[in-house]
Amino acid sequence: MGYEQYEEPQWYVAHTYSGYENKVKASIEATVENRNMEELILQVQVPVHEVVEVKEGKRILKEKKLFPGYVIIQMFMTDESWYVVRNTRGVTGFVGPASKPIPLSEEELKSMGILEKKVVTIDFSIGEEVSIIDGPFEGFSGFIEEINPEKSIAIVKISMFGRDTPAEVAFEQIKKLNT
């Protein structure tokens, strides 16, 4: 086949017929289980993000595919694993030149949300007064109302135009007052 062998499993992208992403995922997972290939093909993902749609005045949270027509597969590339994925109904091939599968880079995986971003440690607490040092609210100060470590953001209540207004800011955009 001519693909590179890696000591660690890599993430590859398989192209599918549009609308077949979840069927392809289920088919590959079933084949992996039936053939006991759990050590070769570790994960199959159809990356999604949540969007809010308004229907008849009601807000509905829906999942939309980030990359329609693609599934992302963590696997060791061997003749057998290549064959299983390539011959799954709905798969048109691997992404790469001349169908030679190219693994995704660490940067690509991070930007897709597949690889966890580095964990940020924070020394802020709810109710604490902070100053906003960057971004559109730079120069304002306020009190932390909410902390979301998964998204690395805080909701800071700032006084704007004579009203208390919640502002969503990244951790790196705030610093403690009195330090």
Side-chain angles (χ1 to χ4, degrees), residues 25-100:
K25 178 182 186 317
S27 293
I28 293 171
E29 288 171 343
T31 303
V32 165
E33 196 174 317
N34 292 339
R35 295 191 183 184
N36 295 318
M37 294 177 66
E38 292 86 350
E39 262 108 66
L40 279 180
I41 300 175
L42 296 113
Q43 290 185 61
V44 183
Q45 290 189 13
V46 179
V48 294
H49 66 283
E50 291 182 338
V51 291
V52 176
E53 290 184 357
V54 179
K55 278 196 176 167
E56 299 170 16
K58 291 183 179 159
R59 293 166 59 96
I60 300 167
L61 203 58
K62 279 192 147 189
E63 281 191 345
K64 289 233 188 229
K65 292 179 184 81
L66 274 176
F67 310 104
Y70 296 94
V71 294
I72 293 55
I73 306 162
Q74 184 186 32
M75 61 189 269
F76 287 98
M77 187 58 70
T78 66
D79 288 343
E80 189 182 10
S81 63
W82 181 91
Y83 181 86
V84 163
V85 174
R86 189 66 190 82
N87 289 291
T88 297
R89 187 180 166 152
V91 172
T92 60
F94 279 98
V95 172
S99 286
K100 179 183 172 189

Side-chain angles (χ1 to χ4, degrees), residues 115-156:
L115 266 192
E116 291 302 312
K117 293 172 178 71
K118 65 179 190 289
V119 176
V120 179
T121 56
I122 53 163
D123 59 351
F124 304 111
S125 54
I126 292 175
E128 188 166 22
E129 190 172 10
V130 293
S131 175
I132 301 175
I133 56 170
D134 190 26
F137 303 108
E138 183 177 354
F140 285 94
S141 60
F143 294 91
I144 295 179
E145 280 196 324
E146 200 177 306
I147 296 172
N148 185 331
E150 289 83 31
K151 292 185 177 177
S152 297
I153 59 166
I155 306 295
V156 179

Side-chain angles (χ1 to χ4, degrees), residues 97-114:
S99 286
K100 179 183 172 189
I102 301 287
L104 292 167
S105 70
E106 200 169 314
E107 292 74 35
E108 289 168 325
L109 292 167
K110 281 181 184 167
S111 70
M112 293 166 77
I114 292 173

